[in-house]
Amino acid sequence: MSRLAVIGAGYVGLTTAACMARLGHTVVAADIDADRVALLSKGEVPILEEGLPELLAEGLASKRLRFVVGAANAAPDAEFVFLCVPTPQGDDGSADLSFVEAVAREIAPALRPGTVVVNKSTMPVGSTRVVERILAAAGASIEEIGVASNPEFLREGTSVRDFLEPNRVVIGCDDPSVAVRVSELYRGLKAPILVTDSASAEMIKYASNAFLATKISFVNAIANLCEAVDADVREVVLGMGYDTRIGFEFLRPGPGYGGSCFPKDTAALLHAAEQAGYDFTLLQGVVDVNRRQHERMVDKARDLAGGSLDGVRVAALGLTFKANTDDLRDSPAIHIVRRLIEEGARVVAHDPAAPARVLDLVPGLELAGDPYAACAGAGLVAVLTEWDAFRWLDFGRVAAELAEARILDTRNLLDPAAMRRLGFVYEGVGR
Ligand code: UDX
């Protein structure tokens, strides 16, 4: 078992730290936010992530997991340092590595010979070498320190399960002996471990996310076409999915993808392609379809409302970028709600998990404590996030609350026939 430092206790870092402690390693996790560190040290998880509170409690109790403020306090004594800090999207679409650079500079003097620095955050191809250079410039003896790429493939909401039961583990390093040392950390897992060079590992992450985004934009484009030719996209996807080369997964039509990864990673890959002189029109199309898909939902809302949203009260069900998370980053729901308000609608939203600061993100938005209150007097209901609770609402009561029984189901969560039987004018996506 090894001694690990995990720098950054956000979604990725916290999951990595807690899961590595579960695998038997001793983990010191660092964050710059002292309040967050205090909270975590008490066993309180500031994010909504299934299984994480239990793993955190287990790690703290076994003393295999502890939290400190500042990267420099976690690095000494560590055999492996995992970098899990944000790599946000820069103004030109490229990934902004300033947090990574700051951490590398901070930890460099504290690293012992033989330590391996592992890039866990999504970083552009070439970043492993960039981190190597920064460490060397900041005084680390780079002949004695390894740097490897070990991209995460965690979905928010199921990240603990994704970490402990991965489809695969990818480790990239130009020194195979270092990669093998990193791979040993995962010995307890039943998953194929791919050891490759650093650039390929970095590309695997971007290519995987770009491919998944492509599936979503593809199915959204098919859904839009289904509407024009009177086909039902749900039947179409069923018929496609039985072909094992295609499969059923990631072909759910909706308001377009969002979240902290797909929009940012597709933009970064497009930027990288441009830098490399490759015209990646296919991926540009994926991004364009996605942007238009958000707007298409606004068009549907306007049509349902009879041609104008001005003065229409809309009940928005869901604000997070998908169900089972409290994350609002790049949420299609937020985009849609903003646009509805821009067009003069009065939007009252309910989301089971969205933090109250959503009100700062969307000026003019109002919140209701439950879905029925959101619907009271509204002329239109828009289901924007696929929370299971919305599926099981008493729609007879919803209809009674509404001024007009009209429903826009951007997630195809509901049964159109059942809705119509209850007297709703129903609009979904691609059916
Ligand atoms: C994603 C990747 O799945 C993960 O491997 C990577 O490490 C980080 O990014 P995440 O952003 O948590 O994970 O969410 P995911 O469940 O993949 O969904 C992303 C977005 O696509 C959501 O907005 C979701 O609603 C949308 N989506 C997903 C669809 O619209 N249709 C689908 O069929 C699947």
Side-chain angles (χ1 to χ4, degrees):
M1 292 302 147
S2 302
R3 292 186 305 277
L4 273 54
V6 173
I7 314 299
Y11 282 100
V12 174
L14 195 51
T15 305
T16 302
C19 290
M20 282 298 193
R22 155 58 67 92
L23 293 180
H25 304 294
T26 304
V27 184
V28 183
D31 204 282
I32 41 168
D33 181 344
D35 292 341
R36 198 177 180 89
V37 168
L39 212 63
L40 289 166
S41 303
K42 281 191 288 183
E44 288 171 35
V45 181
I47 51 176
L48 185 65
E49 201 54 74
E50 203 188 327
L52 202 49
E54 293 79 0
L55 275 193
L56 178 62
E58 182 187 296
L60 292 171
S62 68
K63 300 205 170 7
R64 281 203 301 272
L65 176 60
R66 63 189 180 89
F67 296 89
V68 296
V69 179
N73 293 321
D77 216 35
E79 297 163 279
F80 298 88
V81 180
F82 281 78
L83 303 186
C84 302
V85 292
T87 51
Q89 190 176 325
D91 296 337
D92 56 358
S94 65
D96 172 358
L97 289 185
S98 52
F99 293 110
V100 176
E101 289 174 17
V103 167
R105 261 186 231 109
E106 191 180 335
I107 61 172
L111 299 177
R112 305 176 332 150
T115 303
V116 182
V117 175
V118 186
N119 289 352
K120 194 84 179 144
S121 310
T122 304
M123 297 185 205
V125 179
S127 298
T128 304
R129 298 217 180 96
V130 172
V131 170
E132 241 168 45
R133 282 200 293 276
I134 300 168
L135 289 171
S141 61
I142 203 67
E143 309 75 47
E144 294 170 326
I145 286 166
V147 182
S149 163
N150 172 211
E152 53 85 12
F153 300 101
L154 309 174
R155 287 166 300 179
E156 285 180 25
T158 55
S159 67
V160 169
R161 198 173 354 122
D162 290 343
F163 193 101
L164 295 173
E165 297 164 31
N167 294 140
R168 78 308 206 181
V169 174
V170 173
I171 297 156
C173 186
D174 301 325
D175 178 345
S177 67
V178 169
V180 168
R181 279 182 59 208
V182 177
S183 75
E184 279 163 2
L185 297 174
Y186 292 95
R187 200 186 285 156
L189 302 181
K190 279 195 220 73
I193 298 188
L194 176 70
V195 169
T196 182
D197 61 278
S198 59
S200 299
E202 291 160 341
M203 185 53 107
I204 286 168
K205 170 69 191 200
Y206 280 100
S208 299
N209 274 356
F211 188 74
L212 292 170
T214 304
K215 285 188 90 170
I216 299 170
S217 275
F218 184 85
V219 83
N220 281 336
I222 292 290
N224 299 342
L225 202 50
C226 283
E227 288 175 4
V229 300
D230 241 352
D232 183 339
V233 71
R234 304 233 305 181
E235 303 293 311
V236 173
V237 167
L238 199 59
M240 287 167 68
Y242 281 112
D243 185 329
T244 50
R245 294 170 303 176
I246 299 172
F248 293 102
E249 286 199 61
F250 255 74
L251 289 174
R252 267 181 291 116
Y257 58 77
S260 65
C261 288
F262 290 168
K264 160 173 91 67
D265 293 350
T266 46
L269 191 55
L270 275 176
H271 179 82
E274 197 186 308
Q275 295 277 297
Y278 177 66
D279 188 10
F280 203 159
T281 46
L282 176 61
L283 188 57
Q284 186 61 57
V286 168
V287 171
D288 292 343
V289 165
N290 198 56
R291 194 179 309 121
R292 288 204 296 269
Q293 194 70 7
H294 297 342
E295 197 53 30
R296 215 177 146 88
M297 301 304 118
V298 179
D299 295 342
K300 280 176 182 282
R302 195 187 308 106
D303 289 349
L304 270 175
S308 166
L309 286 160
D310 199 19
V312 176
R313 179 166 167 166
V314 179
L317 300 186
L319 293 168
T320 54
F321 84 91
K322 64 174 185 180
N324 306 318
T325 176
D326 54 1
D327 198 339
L328 299 166
R329 284 178 287 178
D330 254 311
S331 171
I334 296 291
H335 179 87
I336 293 164
V337 160
R338 270 200 195 116
R339 287 280 301 109
L340 296 176
I341 293 173
E342 248 171 53
E343 298 211 4
R346 175 178 168 207
V347 182
V348 183
H350 173 73
D351 186 286
R357 67 179 171 75
V358 66
L359 294 173
D360 304 331
L361 291 178
V362 190
L365 179 68
E366 295 165 59
L367 293 182
D370 69 73
Y372 303 104
C375 291
L380 170 68
V381 190
V383 178
L384 301 179
T385 309
E386 75 283 20
W387 287 100
D388 202 45
F390 297 151
R391 200 192 300 268
W392 307 111
L393 292 176
D394 173 351
F395 280 94
R397 189 175 157 199
V398 169
E401 292 286 354
L402 291 167
E404 299 278 351
R406 299 187 286 218
I407 191 153
L408 168 59
D409 180 7
T410 70
R411 299 284 186 165
N412 287 350
L413 192 68
L414 310 170
D415 175 1
M419 289 301 123
R420 289 180 186 129
R421 269 198 305 275
L422 283 169
F424 280 95
V425 178
Y426 173 93
E427 178 70 22
V429 180
R431 54 176 175 163

